[in-house]
Amino acid sequence: MMASNGTCGVNGDVSSVPSKSSGQVLVNGAAAEDSCLSQPLNGEAKRPDRFTFSVEPTIEDIRRMQAEFTDERDWNQFHKPRNLLLAMVGEVGEVSELFQWRGEVAEGLPDWTEAEREQLAQELSDVLIYLVELAEKCRVDLPQAVLRKMALNRLKYPARKVHGSAKKYTEYKD
């Protein structure tokens, strides 16, 4: 689901499914291809265990599937922005419960059982589904908004100034 075994692959102890369009194997929805081929960014060393998402479904696919699901049940009358936001916050709370009392959790969740990983995948999916539907109802094009926000973040947090620091942008001096 999310773990890499540190050898440029995806943890093989989870189920795999072939993608319908590419024919590649997906493990918990993620491409199980060798991520070691990715190019380093800005001269940084490669991270052989960098996780990547699968190509499908796209955010638009998710929006369309949820719209169809909602339409089939006549739930649009209930799916107003405020209600979707509150439902999403509730789902974030369910994600939080999975991490509660565990202390710091290692990347890749090596100490989690497969059942715990699957529960996390379901709860994170609920959060994403509500986020996408909320964006739809508010007419926010998420992919474009992300591009704008990343550009803004690059301006607020120039790598040469902030490298290795967790300070807020207002705390940096020129």
Side-chain angles (χ1 to χ4, degrees):
M1 158 160 66
M2 2 188 96
S4 168
N5 62 14
T7 60
C8 299
V10 177
N11 191 352
D13 63 345
V14 293
S15 61
S16 60
V17 180
S19 169
K20 64 183 175 191
S21 67
S22 68
Q24 74 185 139
V25 173
L26 302 180
V27 177
N28 282 327
E33 60 194 43
D34 189 353
S35 62
C36 292
L37 301 177
S38 61
Q39 297 296 316
L41 299 175
N42 299 327
E44 297 173 4
K46 284 192 242 182
R47 283 192 54 190
D49 59 347
R50 177 71 44 106
F51 175 83
T52 60
F53 293 120
S54 57
V55 177
E56 294 178 327
T58 65
I59 293 176
E60 174 57 20
D61 292 337
I62 294 167
R63 186 207 59 76
R64 203 173 316 121
M65 288 186 302
Q66 179 61 13
E68 183 178 299
F69 181 87
T70 302
D71 289 345
E72 290 172 347
R73 288 153 183 79
D74 191 25
W75 284 354
N76 276 306
Q77 60 185 317
F78 311 116
H79 286 204
K80 304 300 181 205
R82 177 186 170 276
N83 294 343
L84 293 168
L85 172 63
L86 294 175
M88 183 176 66
V89 168
E91 295 299 337
V92 169
E94 291 184 25
V95 172
S96 298
E97 286 177 355
L98 298 175
F99 286 86
Q100 189 174 14
W101 312 121
R102 289 182 178 262
E104 200 56 48
V105 176
E107 184 174 338
L109 311 177
D111 299 329
W112 287 40
T113 66
E114 189 54 36
E116 291 169 326
R117 290 168 187 267
E118 181 56 30
Q119 185 65 40
L120 178 61
Q122 289 180 22
E123 299 305 341
L124 288 173
S125 295
D126 286 339
V127 172
L128 179 63
I129 290 166
Y130 279 126
L131 174 64
V132 169
E133 190 171 3
L134 177 60
E136 175 192 33
K137 299 295 185 191
C138 295
R139 303 294 193 260
V140 172
D141 182 344
L142 276 178
Q144 292 302 306
V146 166
L147 292 177
R148 290 190 308 272
K149 182 61 176 174
M150 291 302 297
L152 180 61
N153 286 346
R154 287 186 199 302
L155 293 173
K156 288 166 59 172
Y157 296 98
R160 63 180 162 53
K161 267 189 180 180
V162 303
H163 192 267
S165 175
K167 290 181 182 177
K168 187 172 178 173
Y169 71 96
T170 55
E171 299 179 58
Y172 289 103
K173 305 205 182 341
D174 287 330

PDB file of all heavy atoms in Angstrom, residues 140-141 143-153:
ATOM      1  N   VAL A 140     -13.640  24.322  -7.632  1.00  0.00           N
ATOM      2  CA  VAL A 140     -12.192  24.488  -7.535  1.00  0.00           C
ATOM      3  C   VAL A 140     -11.551  23.381  -8.359  1.00  0.00           C
ATOM      4  O   VAL A 140     -11.753  22.202  -8.074  1.00  0.00           O
ATOM      5  CB  VAL A 140     -11.709  24.413  -6.068  1.00  0.00           C
ATOM      6  CG1 VAL A 140     -10.187  24.402  -5.995  1.00  0.00           C
ATOM      7  CG2 VAL A 140     -12.286  25.570  -5.258  1.00  0.00           C
ATOM      8  N   ASP A 141     -10.798  23.759  -9.373  1.00  0.00           N
ATOM      9  CA  ASP A 141     -10.067  22.800 -10.199  1.00  0.00           C
ATOM     10  C   ASP A 141      -8.798  22.427  -9.427  1.00  0.00           C
ATOM     11  O   ASP A 141      -7.793  23.143  -9.477  1.00  0.00           O
ATOM     12  CB  ASP A 141      -9.740  23.449 -11.547  1.00  0.00           C
ATOM     13  CG  ASP A 141      -9.022  22.509 -12.502  1.00  0.00           C
ATOM     14  OD1 ASP A 141      -8.502  21.463 -12.063  1.00  0.00           O
ATOM     15  OD2 ASP A 141      -8.969  22.844 -13.703  1.00  0.00           O
ATOM     16  N   PRO A 143      -6.278  20.157  -9.609  1.00  0.00           N
ATOM     17  CA  PRO A 143      -4.943  20.083 -10.224  1.00  0.00           C
ATOM     18  C   PRO A 143      -4.363  21.458 -10.538  1.00  0.00           C
ATOM     19  O   PRO A 143      -3.177  21.711 -10.293  1.00  0.00           O
ATOM     20  CB  PRO A 143      -5.171  19.254 -11.487  1.00  0.00           C
ATOM     21  CG  PRO A 143      -6.354  18.401 -11.153  1.00  0.00           C
ATOM     22  CD  PRO A 143      -7.234  19.284 -10.314  1.00  0.00           C
ATOM     23  N   GLN A 144      -5.177  22.367 -11.046  1.00  0.00           N
ATOM     24  CA  GLN A 144      -4.692  23.714 -11.353  1.00  0.00           C
ATOM     25  C   GLN A 144      -4.405  24.492 -10.073  1.00  0.00           C
ATOM     26  O   GLN A 144      -3.424  25.245 -10.007  1.00  0.00           O
ATOM     27  CB  GLN A 144      -5.695  24.456 -12.235  1.00  0.00           C
ATOM     28  CG  GLN A 144      -5.801  23.884 -13.630  1.00  0.00           C
ATOM     29  CD  GLN A 144      -4.466  23.890 -14.347  1.00  0.00           C
ATOM     30  OE1 GLN A 144      -3.812  24.930 -14.457  1.00  0.00           O
ATOM     31  NE2 GLN A 144      -4.040  22.726 -14.817  1.00  0.00           N
ATOM     32  N   ALA A 145      -5.239  24.314  -9.060  1.00  0.00           N
ATOM     33  CA  ALA A 145      -5.005  24.982  -7.774  1.00  0.00           C
ATOM     34  C   ALA A 145      -3.689  24.498  -7.151  1.00  0.00           C
ATOM     35  O   ALA A 145      -2.945  25.293  -6.573  1.00  0.00           O
ATOM     36  CB  ALA A 145      -6.177  24.724  -6.824  1.00  0.00           C
ATOM     37  N   VAL A 146      -3.398  23.211  -7.286  1.00  0.00           N
ATOM     38  CA  VAL A 146      -2.141  22.672  -6.766  1.00  0.00           C
ATOM     39  C   VAL A 146      -0.949  23.303  -7.480  1.00  0.00           C
ATOM     40  O   VAL A 146       0.045  23.683  -6.845  1.00  0.00           O
ATOM     41  CB  VAL A 146      -2.103  21.129  -6.882  1.00  0.00           C
ATOM     42  CG1 VAL A 146      -0.700  20.587  -6.673  1.00  0.00           C
ATOM     43  CG2 VAL A 146      -3.073  20.497  -5.894  1.00  0.00           C
ATOM     44  N   LEU A 147      -1.043  23.435  -8.795  1.00  0.00           N
ATOM     45  CA  LEU A 147       0.055  24.062  -9.546  1.00  0.00           C
ATOM     46  C   LEU A 147       0.293  25.497  -9.073  1.00  0.00           C
ATOM     47  O   LEU A 147       1.441  25.912  -8.868  1.00  0.00           O
ATOM     48  CB  LEU A 147      -0.239  24.040 -11.043  1.00  0.00           C
ATOM     49  CG  LEU A 147      -0.228  22.663 -11.710  1.00  0.00           C
ATOM     50  CD1 LEU A 147      -0.620  22.793 -13.178  1.00  0.00           C
ATOM     51  CD2 LEU A 147       1.128  21.994 -11.561  1.00  0.00           C
ATOM     52  N   ARG A 148      -0.787  26.249  -8.890  1.00  0.00           N
ATOM     53  CA  ARG A 148      -0.645  27.632  -8.415  1.00  0.00           C
ATOM     54  C   ARG A 148      -0.063  27.671  -7.006  1.00  0.00           C
ATOM     55  O   ARG A 148       0.807  28.473  -6.706  1.00  0.00           O
ATOM     56  CB  ARG A 148      -1.991  28.351  -8.459  1.00  0.00           C
ATOM     57  CG  ARG A 148      -2.489  28.647  -9.864  1.00  0.00           C
ATOM     58  CD  ARG A 148      -3.701  29.577  -9.883  1.00  0.00           C
ATOM     59  NE  ARG A 148      -4.790  29.147  -9.027  1.00  0.00           N
ATOM     60  CZ  ARG A 148      -5.774  28.304  -9.393  1.00  0.00           C
ATOM     61  NH1 ARG A 148      -5.772  27.781 -10.618  1.00  0.00           N
ATOM     62  NH2 ARG A 148      -6.738  27.991  -8.552  1.00  0.00           N
ATOM     63  N   LYS A 149      -0.547  26.773  -6.151  1.00  0.00           N
ATOM     64  CA  LYS A 149      -0.080  26.762  -4.760  1.00  0.00           C
ATOM     65  C   LYS A 149       1.386  26.353  -4.680  1.00  0.00           C
ATOM     66  O   LYS A 149       2.155  26.913  -3.892  1.00  0.00           O
ATOM     67  CB  LYS A 149      -0.953  25.806  -3.928  1.00  0.00           C
ATOM     68  CG  LYS A 149      -0.594  25.752  -2.472  1.00  0.00           C
ATOM     69  CD  LYS A 149      -0.740  27.103  -1.791  1.00  0.00           C
ATOM     70  CE  LYS A 149      -0.462  26.962  -0.304  1.00  0.00           C
ATOM     71  NZ  LYS A 149      -0.448  28.227   0.391  1.00  0.00           N
ATOM     72  N   MET A 150       1.809  25.375  -5.479  1.00  0.00           N
ATOM     73  CA  MET A 150       3.217  24.961  -5.478  1.00  0.00           C
ATOM     74  C   MET A 150       4.110  26.109  -5.947  1.00  0.00           C
ATOM     75  O   MET A 150       5.202  26.322  -5.392  1.00  0.00           O
ATOM     76  CB  MET A 150       3.423  23.726  -6.349  1.00  0.00           C
ATOM     77  CG  MET A 150       2.797  22.461  -5.786  1.00  0.00           C
ATOM     78  SD  MET A 150       3.395  22.000  -4.144  1.00  0.00           S
ATOM     79  CE  MET A 150       5.109  21.699  -4.470  1.00  0.00           C
ATOM     80  N   ALA A 151       3.670  26.873  -6.938  1.00  0.00           N
ATOM     81  CA  ALA A 151       4.444  28.026  -7.407  1.00  0.00           C
ATOM     82  C   ALA A 151       4.564  29.062  -6.290  1.00  0.00           C
ATOM     83  O   ALA A 151       5.647  29.620  -6.057  1.00  0.00           O
ATOM     84  CB  ALA A 151       3.798  28.635  -8.650  1.00  0.00           C
ATOM     85  N   LEU A 152       3.478  29.307  -5.594  1.00  0.00           N
ATOM     86  CA  LEU A 152       3.499  30.238  -4.470  1.00  0.00           C
ATOM     87  C   LEU A 152       4.426  29.738  -3.364  1.00  0.00           C
ATOM     88  O   LEU A 152       5.212  30.507  -2.797  1.00  0.00           O
ATOM     89  CB  LEU A 152       2.076  30.437  -3.937  1.00  0.00           C
ATOM     90  CG  LEU A 152       1.907  31.386  -2.761  1.00  0.00           C
ATOM     91  CD1 LEU A 152       2.367  32.794  -3.129  1.00  0.00           C
ATOM     92  CD2 LEU A 152       0.451  31.394  -2.314  1.00  0.00           C
ATOM     93  N   ASN A 153       4.337  28.446  -3.051  1.00  0.00           N
ATOM     94  CA  ASN A 153       5.198  27.874  -2.013  1.00  0.00           C
ATOM     95  C   ASN A 153       6.677  27.996  -2.369  1.00  0.00           C
ATOM     96  O   ASN A 153       7.525  28.221  -1.509  1.00  0.00           O
ATOM     97  CB  ASN A 153       4.847  26.418  -1.752  1.00  0.00           C
ATOM     98  CG  ASN A 153       3.558  26.263  -0.978  1.00  0.00           C
ATOM     99  OD1 ASN A 153       3.043  27.225  -0.403  1.00  0.00           O
ATOM    100  ND2 ASN A 153       3.017  25.067  -0.970  1.00  0.00           N
TER     101      ASN A 153
END
